[in-house]
Amino acid sequence: MDAGSNTGLVTPSSSVSATGINPRTLERFEAEPPRTMPRVQHRIAVRNHSGSPCAYHLLADALDVTGCPGSSESDSLNMQNWRLVYQSSLVIPHPHGSAHFSVMDTTLAICGSGKTTCAPGLVLYSSDWQEAAPATGDAHGSHLVMTMPEGHDASFDIKRSSHDAFDVKGAFGITVNTSFRYPHPKFPFVGLGAPDPYNVNNVIPIAIFEAQPGCTYSIRPNSRYLIAAGTADPGQIVAIDPSTKLYILDFSDPSVLSAEVIHNENGTFSIDYI
């Protein structure tokens, strides 16, 4: 059986070479030009007027995802939809201190595995990513295929993926093939990532859900981010409960480029869009 079959099995011809790098991966790497930092789309400043030193972190809002599990394409995946920290600050002094965050102008599909059961506090890393274009009224969107054969971390099957084959407006698609079993102890996931603003080669998972074999998901990115007080690490899963004090930033208006968030002395947040 060859490497192009639907099983996701790898033949000796595509195994790791003497260099320690899969030849197919090496060919793909050599063919790609060096990455350049995406354009900054939004800038966010958080002013600490809370009355005490405080750290802050930036989260993506939960994804709008439809598809498996369930029998209807309209089923929601709220129970498996996790928010992760995109960026975080050090402890900021008061009353004149500020934390600054930058949101990049790009949409990245990511996949990976948690190596353990998913839970708040766990830090996740993407094992693969691809730029993903949501479908518009004039063009189809990206439709990617995720695979994870035995002994391999999750990746996108480029030969079976397409950047103009998904027709759900405002969304891109990810199909998970049947190369692994479900449930899986290493928590394979897919979702949305974002470029590290300080390292062009690093992509941080910001919103993910568990990948189930044989499912096709419709993922609709949004322009909402959350500011929360407290220390956290990029890629860390965060559970939001009613007691969490945060502020939702909505950049759906394309004329809004920046936001200034004030952390008030009573613990609440107020905002000015610029």
Side-chain angles (χ1 to χ4, degrees):
M1 187 174 294
D2 62 26
S5 69
N6 291 331
T7 64
L9 297 177
V10 179
T11 64
S13 63
S14 60
S15 61
V16 175
S17 68
T19 64
I21 303 175
N22 186 312
R24 291 174 61 186
T25 303
L26 184 61
E27 290 172 5
R28 174 181 163 192
F29 177 81
E30 290 176 339
E32 291 179 348
R35 289 198 71 206
T36 57
M37 185 65 74
R39 180 178 66 88
V40 175
Q41 186 174 27
H42 304 294
R43 298 185 187 276
I44 302 163
V46 184
R47 315 296 185 190
N48 184 9
H49 297 175
S50 68
S52 61
C54 189
Y56 302 94
H57 50 278
L58 180 69
L59 304 162
D61 198 6
L63 285 174
D64 177 4
V65 182
T66 55
C68 295
S71 58
S72 171
E73 285 299 309
S74 64
D75 286 340
S76 175
L77 300 181
N78 290 334
M79 297 301 294
Q80 296 176 301
N81 202 331
W82 298 90
R83 296 181 179 93
L84 295 88
V85 175
Y86 178 19
Q87 298 171 41
S88 60
S89 77
L90 299 175
V91 175
I92 303 300
H94 74 98
H96 303 134
S98 300
H100 297 270
F101 304 112
S102 298
V103 177
M104 303 302 171
D105 182 19
T106 188
T107 300
L108 301 179
I110 56 100
C111 60
S113 60
K115 312 299 188 293
T116 185
T117 303
C118 187
L122 180 68
V123 176
L124 297 180
Y125 302 91
S126 57
S127 58
D128 198 11
W129 62 268
Q130 284 290 318
E131 292 190 23
T136 65
D138 301 321
H140 292 304
S142 302
H143 192 174
L144 306 173
V145 176
M146 178 266 209
T147 185
M148 196 178 75
E150 184 68 27
H152 293 249
D153 210 336
S155 65
F156 289 116
D157 186 337
I158 302 304
K159 289 185 177 181
R160 290 180 172 80
S161 299
S162 172
H163 286 290
D164 59 356
F166 202 69
D167 59 2
V168 179
K169 187 175 180 179
F172 65 89
I174 295 180
T175 292
V176 181
N177 74 5
T178 56
S179 57
F180 62 94
R181 67 186 185 279
Y182 178 85
H184 196 285
K186 292 188 177 181
F187 187 75
F189 64 83
V190 291
L192 198 66
D196 185 334
Y198 306 105
N199 182 354
V200 68
N201 296 309
N202 187 35
V203 173
I204 301 168
I206 60 172
I208 61 97
F209 54 94
E210 187 173 15
Q212 295 191 20
C215 289
T216 294
Y217 303 99
S218 174
I219 303 172
R220 192 181 306 274
N222 59 57
S223 301
R224 298 185 301 272
Y225 290 85
L226 288 72
I227 290 289
T231 57
D233 295 317
Q236 180 177 333
I237 296 173
V238 175
I240 304 296
D241 59 54
S243 66
T244 304
K245 292 183 177 179
L246 49 81
Y247 197 97
I248 299 177
L249 302 170
D250 191 343
F251 290 110
S252 56
D253 182 346
S255 68
V256 174
L257 302 179
S258 302
E260 183 178 57
V261 180
I262 308 299
H263 188 195
N264 300 304
E265 195 166 356
N266 62 3
T268 63
F269 293 92
S270 55
I271 185 170
D272 285 322
Y273 289 107
I274 303 170

